[in-house]
Amino acid sequence: MAFDYRLVKRLVDLMVCAVVLPLLLPVLAACAVAIRLDTPGPIIFGQWRTGRDGKRFKMYKFRTMVRNAEELKAELQHLSIVRWPDFKIIDDPRITRVGKILRKTSLDELPQFINVLKGDMTLVGPRPTSFSADTYALWHTARLEVAPGLTGLWQIEGRNQASFDERLRMDIKYIATMRPMGDLKIVLRTVPAVLLRKGA
């Protein structure tokens, strides 16, 4: 992958953040107040994710679960409807009232613009996994060649309906064909995918 392309992506990330973040401040503030009034605990939740070259970083989200959600995960593992290492259960009891709204609207993802500013993430790329690179099969590691993204190909084509291997194939397809116009198309398709809850 050409160095110049990565440089262009980084410049675009910074310019978009500079324009979007000031516009989002009222929304961010409203989400923060709603979380604070709903349940005790931090407003922003930092979860360790796997990024480029397998490097671990803290990905930021608005907290949508109770404070001890991570501890309860082990107890609920048997209810997961997806195969390990993924985890998802129907009507997750750990999700708060405000958290349900934030998740349905994807507003809980907005703090990840901080990760984009820091360079941990980019606007478009493979979504970062919560499990570490040593969980991956060898062919899975191809997705670690690029920085993870706020949105990506599998989010608009499969969302949560796709298995981990299917998502990996989409990620590899994206990496093999990534270009500025392709990134723009993914961003534009993300909006209706989120609004229509496609595959969520």
Side-chain angles (χ1 to χ4, degrees):
M1 191 176 312
F3 171 79
D4 287 349
Y5 180 66
R6 286 179 175 166
L7 178 60
V8 169
K9 278 179 72 74
R10 182 61 183 150
L11 292 175
V12 170
D13 288 344
L14 293 174
M15 287 189 293
V16 170
C17 287
V19 172
V20 170
L21 280 174
L23 299 176
L24 288 177
L25 282 177
V27 179
L28 295 170
C31 291
V33 171
I35 294 167
R36 175 62 70 203
L37 293 176
D38 186 36
T39 55
I43 292 171
I44 300 292
F45 172 69
Q47 185 180 51
W48 287 103
R49 296 291 178 111
T50 301
R52 183 180 171 188
D53 299 325
K55 180 182 176 182
R56 299 285 280 174
F57 69 96
K58 271 198 173 182
M59 187 183 80
Y60 303 113
K61 301 179 74 172
F62 279 127
R63 182 176 59 83
T64 60
M65 292 186 172
V66 294
R67 268 191 301 197
N68 61 334
E70 287 298 303
E71 290 80 0
L72 293 173
K73 183 176 179 179
E75 300 175 17
L76 300 170
Q77 185 70 50
H78 66 287
L79 298 176
S80 179
I81 60 173
V82 293
R83 296 175 64 181
W84 186 89
D86 285 331
F87 177 82
K88 181 182 180 182
I89 60 177
I90 298 173
D91 296 325
D92 194 327
R94 301 173 301 162
I95 301 176
T96 65
R97 292 171 299 177
V98 169
K100 290 179 181 179
I101 298 172
L102 295 178
R103 287 183 169 220
K104 284 182 179 179
T105 56
S106 291
L107 290 173
D108 61 316
E109 309 282 358
L110 291 182
Q112 287 162 45
F113 276 104
I114 299 172
N115 291 116
V116 175
L117 277 175
K118 291 175 61 181
D120 297 326
M121 296 175 65
T122 183
L123 292 175
V124 180
R127 286 293 290 168
T129 59
S130 57
F131 37 90
S132 61
D134 57 15
T135 306
Y136 290 17
L138 182 60
W139 72 275
H140 292 164
T141 58
R143 80 193 306 269
L144 302 177
E145 295 176 5
V146 298
L150 271 175
T151 186
L153 191 60
W154 71 259
Q155 282 203 301
I156 59 175
E157 292 193 356
R159 302 270 292 174
N160 289 335
Q161 291 178 340
S163 69
F164 182 56
D165 280 0
E166 288 170 336
R167 298 202 306 267
L168 260 294
R169 292 187 182 95
M170 292 183 203
D171 291 337
I172 293 171
K173 175 184 174 183
Y174 165 75
I175 293 169
T177 60
M178 58 190 293
R179 62 192 188 281
M181 284 306 299
D183 284 357
L184 178 60
K185 289 178 181 178
I186 289 174
V187 169
L188 294 176
R189 290 177 60 190
T190 296
V191 176
V194 170
L195 293 177
L196 296 174
R197 299 284 294 155
K198 180 182 175 183

